[in-house]
Amino acid sequence: MDLTVYGAEAVCASCAQAPPSKATAEWLEAALVRKFGKPLPVRYVDIFQPETEKDRYFCEKIKSDDYFFPLLVSGSEVLGEGFISLKPVLLFLEKNGLTVSESGSGEQ
């Protein structure tokens, strides 16, 4: 399951209370390890340095104000933008076959 956070070093002007994008990716990766008991890598992509064609697509969408950053994507599905909430991400992952580990707290 691929998870990618698109963003920039600056905080999104429209998302005043949101943490920086890279910090969001690190927080999400740590939260998912706690929940699922195994690493689920979260890839971070700077919107000014896209690596793939898919990256370029989402980076251009952010730059043209179609999305706020940080933008969380799995495959082609947008899971969140601006202020990323853990609950919808967990629901998406569980819907796609991941199960919470016995040591996972169950807290959202």
Side-chain angles (χ1 to χ4, degrees):
M1 177 97 26
D2 68 320
L3 294 171
T4 303
V5 173
Y6 295 96
E9 287 189 32
V11 174
C12 172
S14 300
C15 312
Q17 299 301 317
S21 301
K22 191 162 189 160
T24 296
E26 293 165 352
W27 160 80
L28 181 58
E29 191 166 34
L32 295 176
V33 167
R34 285 192 306 275
K35 273 303 207 190
F36 294 105
K38 61 183 178 182
L40 294 170
V42 177
R43 188 170 153 257
Y44 171 75
V45 175
D46 187 294
I47 61 172
F48 300 106
Q49 298 178 335
E51 300 169 9
T52 67
E53 199 57 42
K54 180 177 133 186
D55 292 346
R56 279 186 275 290
Y57 171 80
F58 283 111
C59 292
E60 287 305 316
K61 288 289 199 179
I62 291 169
K63 290 190 246 178
S64 66
D65 293 329
D66 290 336
Y67 292 116
F68 296 118
F69 64 87
L71 175 69
L72 176 62
V73 176
S74 180
S76 60
E77 187 167 345
V78 173
L79 302 180
E81 62 178 309
F83 192 85
I84 306 299
S85 177
L86 187 57
K87 189 172 184 175
V89 176
L90 294 176
L91 291 173
F92 172 82
L93 293 172
E94 290 172 2
K95 181 178 103 178
N96 284 281
L98 290 176
T99 56
V100 174
S101 75
E102 300 235 351
S103 62
S105 65
E107 297 172 4
Q108 306 293 324

